Amino acid sequence: YREVKTGLGLDHYEGRTWQGWHHHVTLVSAAHIFLTLQRLDPKTHAPE
């Protein structure tokens, strides 16, 4: 949760609409899935 909140900006949303919040959370979730899959892939090299 901490990585998603601070690293990916889950807590940065300041809008007022349900649609805006849903869009923001969807994009943050997609970014988190991408990063998790990158970490788990043995062929991916760590950045230097």
Side-chain angles (χ1 to χ4, degrees), residues 11-37:
D11 62 343
H12 291 172
Y13 180 71
E14 295 181 3
R16 298 174 185 246
T17 65
W18 165 255
Q19 184 179 12
W21 178 84
H22 189 266
H23 184 248
H24 180 74
V25 171
T26 300
L27 291 176
V28 169
S29 298
H32 184 256
I33 290 168
F34 174 78
L35 291 175
T36 300
L37 291 174

